[in-house]
Every structure is written in C-alpha cells, then in structure tokens.
Amino acid sequence: MRIHLHTDEAGPGAGLALKMAERGGRGSSGHGSLDKSITLPPDEIFRNLENAKRFAIDIGGSLTKLAYYSTVQHKVARVRSFDHSGKDIENEPLYEISVQEEITARLHFIKFENTYIETCLDFIKDHLVNTETKVIKATGGGAYKFKDLIEKKLGLKVDKEDVMTCLIKGCNFVLRNIPHEVFAYQKDSDTEFRFQTNHPNIFPYLLVNIGSGVSIVKVESEDKFEWIGGSSIGGGTFWGLGALLTKTKKFDELLQLASKGQHTNVDMLVKDVYGGACQTLGLSGNLIASSFGKSTTADKEFSKEDMAKSLLHMISNDIGQLACLYAKLHNLDKIYFGGFFIRGHPVTMRTITFSINFFSKGEVQALFLRHEGYLGAIGAFLKGAEQDNPNQYSWGENYAGSSGLMSTSPDVHPMQRTRSGTFDMFEMDRLERPLVNLPLLKDPSAYIPDTVDLTDDAMARKYWLTCFEEALDGVAKRAAASQPDSIDAPERAEKFRQKYWNKLQTLRQQPFAYGTLTVRSLLDTREHCLNEFNFPDPYSKVKQKENGIALKCFQSVIESLDSLGWEERQFALVKGLLAGNVFDWGAKAVSDVLECEPQFGFEEAKSKLQERPWLEDSYNQWLQRLKEGPPHKCALIFADNSGIDIILGVFPFVRELLSRGTEVILACNSGPALNDVTYSESLIVAERIAAMDPVIQSALRDEKLLLVQTGSSSPCLDLSRLDKGLAVLVRERKTDLVIIEGMGRAIHTNYYAALKCESLKLAVIKNSWLADRLGGKIFSVIFKYEVPCK
C-alpha cells in the first residue's frame, strides 16, 4: 500500500487526504510511505506542526487519537488614537488602524485508523521543528502495543497514563468549555440530536464507559472520582458473540447488520408468553421477555441481521439497567455514555437510550458527548501540561478547523469517509480571558442564549443557510477590499469563501455537526473562517470612517436633545437608540442602502422606523418607571454597532442615565465582528466625546462610566460566556438594569433571557423574512422592558 498526500484541485478547503494509489497493494515492508515530493497546502489535517510544543496520544483497538499544542500566528486589527494636539483634525481620520501579528495557543486533536499510524508518525517526524517536547503522554490499550514504534519514529519517551484518569480529565474539560457538548439521541424525532444546555456546575455525574467490558465511574469534582461498578458484558461481548453468530469479524459491519435486523424474529416478547393477559400485568406486549428466546422453539435459520439486532438489544438493556441502578444508588441524574461501543453509532445510542428511559421510567436521560472519541487524548494532554495549568483558561472550539459530529466533511473531500475510516479534526483556541456567567441570569442552568433552534425548525434552517450562502460572495469581496495593499488578499478571500461554503453544505446535510444550529453559530463559524485566512476585521475602515462622521454630529444631537422637555427627550433618546441600530452592515437590506446612498444618515434612519405602536412595545411602562421609580444604581449596556449607533444612539442615552445618578458599565466586544464596535474602538470614541461633553468627561474621571470588554468576538451575545472582569464589576456596582441592543444580541439571542433585574431589549428588525415571521414588516421595532417577578 502506498499512501499519498493529496490536495483537491477543485477547492482550497480540501486539506489533506490520505489515499491509496490505484496500483496499490501492500509493499514488501507492509508499511505505508509518504510521497515527500508533494508540497502540503497550509490547511491540511496535521496543522501548525512546525509550532507544536507538546504531544499526547490515545491508541484504542482500532482508532488513534493524537493531541498536540501549538502556537498560531494570526493577524489582528489594532486601533490607536492619533496625537491630534495642535493640529487641524477636520480631515484627519479619527484613529490609526494597523494589522499586527498575534500569537495564540491552540489545541489540535486528530482521529484516524490505526492502519495509518506509522504513516502519520513519519509525517509528524518530518514536519516537526524544534519542539520542546521530550516526552509524549500516552493512554489506551494500544499505548503498550505501539510504544516502541512511537519512541523510534518520534524520538520521544512514551510516558503511559491511566486510561480512566485521562477519560475523566477529558470529560471535565469538554463539559466546561464546549457549550453544546452534551446531547440526547432521539432517533424517531425530527431532530435526532437534542443538545443540552451545560449546567454551570458540571458535577457530580456518572460516566459509563463501554469498551470491551463496562466501567462505571462516579465523578464528584475535578480530582475526585471513583470506580463504583462495572460488568464483563460490554462491547467486547457484543463483538465476540456477534462474530460467532454471524461470522462477521468487523465491529462496524456487525453494527451495520444490526441496524437492518428485526429483533422480534429472534426475541421472545411478553405477548408471546402471556398473550392478551400482559395488559393485566401492566406490561407492554412488545417488551422483550427473553433475548434469543424464539431460537429454542423455532425450527428455522435466523438471519445474521436479526441475530445481531437481538444481541445488541440484549447487551444494551443489561448495561442500561446497570447504569440506572448505580445512578439511583448514588442519587445521580446525569449519566454520560462513552467508549468504542458508542462512538457516535446511531444504532447503539438508540438502544442505550431506550434502555435507560425504560428502566428509569423516564426520570433519567441517556446523555452522549459530541467529542466522546477524544476524551482520552484530551486527558493525556492535560496530564502532560499540568505545569501550564490549562484549566485556568477558557477555551473555545475553532469551527474552521473542526470536522463536526458524524461529519463527512468537505474539508477532506474527495475521499469518501466511512464511519471507521475517518480523519476527524477537532481544534480549540485558548481565549485571552476566562469566561463566566453573567451574575444577573435568573437561572444559569436554564439559560438558552439562542431564540430559534435551526436544527428543529426546518423552514428557518433552509432560509438562513440560503441567506448566508447568498451573502458569501459579498463578504469575500469586502474581505479582499479591506486589505488593498496585500497582493494575496484576493486568493485568501477565495479560500475563505470556499471554506465557509463547504461548512454551509455540511450543515445542510448534518445541521447537528457543531451542536445546536443557530444564526449565532452560522455567524461565529463565518468569523472563524475569516480569521483562519487572516481577515481579522474586514469592516475596520468602514468603522473608522463612520465613527469620524458621527462624532462631528454629536454636539448638535446633544443640543437638540437638551432643548426638549423631559418626557419628549426620553422618547427622542429611545428613538435615537433605535435609529442608530439601523446601521448594521450585517443586514443586507441596510448594507444595500449604505452602499448605494452614502448620504443616508441619522435622520434618514429615524424616518425608516415603524411608527408606534411598535411590534413589541412596552415603552409606556419604561417611561412610567423613569417617572415614578428611583434612579437605577447601575446600568449594564451591551453595545452593538460602531458609528451612528454607539455615538449618536448609545452615548446620549448613557449621558441621560448618568444625569439621573445612575452609574453605567458600557460593554463592547473584545474582538471584531462585522461593524460591531470593539472595546479598543470604544475607548477612543469615549475619549473624543469626553473632550466635547462635560457630563461624559466627569463620569469617566470619577469612574461613574466604565468601559469594559465582553470577552466575545461575535455579533450575538451569550450571557453564559462573558469576561470574568465584567462579571466582577457587575456584582461590585450592584447592577440593577441591563440594556441589550441590536438584532444579534436582543432578537437572535436573549429575546427570552430571564434576568434577576430590570432589562431593556431594543432592536430594529432589518430582515424582511424575520419581520414577517414575527408578524411585522422590515424596520419594525422591538422595545421590550421586563421586570422580574418578585
């Protein structure tokens, strides 16, 4: 067999595929070899190996999972205020934009068949440059089998780690860092994969690992867990008995047979024993009374498919009952299943789910993990990286470099990937700052950021996927135009376009690939793909220009507001907030107007707004609160867009709150997304406004107005993953009002978010399909004032 590194000519997102040559056949050595003459593209499977710092490996019976840490160089957009002292700044840009190199940390995980292990080790050895690694942490049964090969190929000492310790460490890590990690499997529903909201406290839980046998582990904390039981009847039993019954030696083929079988042809059911009397016993006639029971009386040959299905039910029911009994004994309501018996196979997940549901009478749910196959490798890596304390950071999945659940990913096209013949990739980026819940969430365990689950809603899914596809050429064009001095910008923009297009096609076929599919996840995936090809902020110049224009209008807007009576001014402030929110380059209806009508401004935006009564209108209640209630202690405002939105909409509103005696925390994105204002841009804007306005100036000086970053780089808002510093400030300042503005933050996300304090959710609907669905028209207004029940 000869294995080639192959790139797909049709698209730059193809990456690395391992393909047997047509003239193949096994060579005399019996090992694959790499064709060293082929130059690898930058987006292959084993990415950033030249910067790899540390390795770990988990080798099972048929699959190898490799983990390594690398540093990744990304371009980031930086803004810096000009020194305008003594200059005529009328025609000067507001601030300087520069694109700089930033080094970030990334975890890479690759899963492949053991068949390819020697070839992959050769590849790693040839592309490793100055790694500081001297030891490779290894776990899994194969760590012993392949120890000598690994040490010989990589020149690293193999340090074996306990399998169960690694599994638990890996499980804790994904539960903490990946919001849509856990799912329940529902085969007969429209949505097979029902993803769960991660509880802020992941402990305690039961981990049922089904390998050759079954291990049941109670996990109480990061370092406290114990093996509480198990069984010798597990995956190995299914495989072994299945091979004897069907003469099928391969595990996946055995499962394939089971998926086509009808167990009732082999199993004796309750109705076969009791007939019509089963109802008087309170039992369903279709329950299995005796696995393989019909084989004792039937004088016929049973099909391989039926025997495999009966065997699968027998073993799954045994494991399910055992897991339920242990969960009940230890008062646990979370049971996670893993191991090679599960490995994302629908047929095993279905039988385990049925078993758990039956034996627990619906009180306990069988839960599975999206990255279950990587737990051992993650845990082994964490064991080797303890001196760096990776758990002190928050991590986020990089959708641009991850294959997705049960994916036949276009990233390794054109090779047809079977379930067991897969090169799967999974990447996680270390975030700059730790992320935590907003302390004001009413019930963090019940909080769901997203308003619509596109995995569930087929009509909405079809619309939004098409919407993102149609917008893609324009996004790629803007990305290239944002870097006019870069010769390779058009080429990188095309690579981005192809990569994101491939992701969208995957999601059309497998909407569950990256967890619950939402508008937010589609936007975030697009941002990840833009960053992957070094387009950190395609709208930086647009924001710079719009911020400069809006600042020139700030004083006249304030003078106009100050000339109004109190009640008239409150309405004008809200209308200004809403008009500012119109300026969203992420909405096609708006970007088309802004492209064609450069003079479209604040007053024009006001004229576009829906007249009252608005689509969602609790303005009268808000006004009453301002009239009759005491000033709020502190308001937390999540800002949306740059330019007119932040400067002529948000800051006048902030100024009014400050004048009432309310402190204000103004939270902006940590990193860029579309034309959303970033924290660093907000600092410069606030500085310039302070130079014009004594209210803002004194509030900044006295720390009555605080500018903070959210920890996010998304056009949407997840209140369960916010910068820790912001959360601390919210507590310290006794925040009692939260204001969320914008379609991404207040409609696509958080529309139903329940808070402990008063909240305002404001947005202008700039998408005609969404407006129609909500019963309105384009530019309809949402003004939602909510007071928590006492």
Side-chain angles (χ1 to χ4, degrees), residues 375-427:
L375 300 186
I378 294 171
F381 173 83
L382 293 172
K383 285 288 288 180
E386 284 175 339
Q387 66 267 38
D388 295 337
N389 194 12
N391 283 330
Q392 73 180 321
Y393 302 102
S394 290
W395 299 78
E397 183 173 2
N398 174 31
Y399 296 136
S402 298
S403 301
L405 181 67
M406 286 174 62
S407 173
T408 51
S409 172
D411 293 317
V412 286
H413 175 83
M415 182 178 71
Q416 288 298 313
R417 302 168 63 216
T418 62
R419 185 175 303 281
S420 60
T422 294
F423 270 73
D424 270 330
M425 292 87 73
F426 168 41
E427 294 182 355

Side-chain angles (χ1 to χ4, degrees), residues 126 568 655 746 789:
D126 291 347
E568 198 180 355
R655 186 176 177 272
C789 298

Side-chain angles (χ1 to χ4, degrees), residues 20 22 31 53 63 73 183 286 304 341 396 421 449 597 599:
M20 284 186 286
E22 294 295 329
H31 300 308
K53 306 292 182 190
L63 292 175
Q73 273 201 323
F183 65 90
N286 292 320
K304 292 179 179 181
F341 183 72
E597 301 176 36
Q599 300 310 309

Side-chain angles (χ1 to χ4, degrees), residues 610-617 751 765 770-771 774-777 780-783:
Q610 174 193 15
E611 294 292 327
R612 289 193 69 200
W614 295 323
L615 187 59
E616 176 94 29
D617 193 338
Y751 191 71
I765 303 171
L770 181 61
L774 293 172
K777 295 178 180 178
S780 288
V781 168
I782 299 292
F783 187 95

Side-chain angles (χ1 to χ4, degrees), residues 88-155:
D88 175 15
I89 61 169
E90 186 65 27
N91 297 310
E92 286 285 324
L94 175 62
Y95 49 78
E96 178 185 15
I97 303 169
S98 62
V99 175
Q100 299 171 11
E101 293 286 345
E102 183 179 80
I103 295 175
T104 56
R106 177 173 288 174
L107 297 180
H108 300 259
F109 304 97
I110 301 116
K111 182 166 59 178
F112 52 87
E113 282 187 332
N114 289 352
T115 313
Y116 299 133
I117 189 166
E118 188 163 357
T119 301
C120 292
L121 290 174
D122 278 334
F123 179 81
I124 292 164
K125 178 185 71 175
D126 291 347
H127 291 82
L128 219 51
V129 180
N130 299 326
T131 179
E132 62 190 41
T133 302
K134 303 298 178 207
V135 171
I136 182 167
K137 292 285 184 179
T139 188
Y144 298 88
K145 180 180 175 182
F146 291 100
K147 176 179 180 290
D148 293 341
L149 179 68
I150 295 167
E151 290 186 339
K152 176 186 170 188
K153 292 285 184 185
L154 299 185

Side-chain angles (χ1 to χ4, degrees), residues 58-65 111-114 167 183 185 193 208-212 235 238-239 249-256 312 336-352 367-375 404-407 418-422 424:
D58 173 16
I59 309 175
S62 59
L63 292 175
T64 295
K65 285 78 69 177
K111 182 166 59 178
F112 52 87
E113 282 187 332
N114 289 352
L167 278 174
F183 65 90
Y185 186 76
F193 297 83
V208 180
N209 192 58
I210 314 171
S212 298
F238 173 68
W239 197 348
K249 296 295 185 184
K250 290 190 175 179
F251 184 78
D252 288 356
E253 287 178 12
L254 193 59
L255 282 176
Q256 192 64 25
L312 181 66
Y336 301 122
F337 288 87
F340 84 81
F341 183 72
I342 302 296
R343 214 170 78 198
H345 292 290
V347 66
T348 57
M349 291 192 293
R350 186 182 187 184
T351 52
I352 287 287
L367 298 172
F368 306 95
L369 302 170
R370 191 155 67 88
H371 297 102
E372 180 274 326
Y374 292 105
L375 300 186
L405 181 67
M406 286 174 62
S407 173
T418 62
R419 185 175 303 281
S420 60
T422 294
D424 270 330

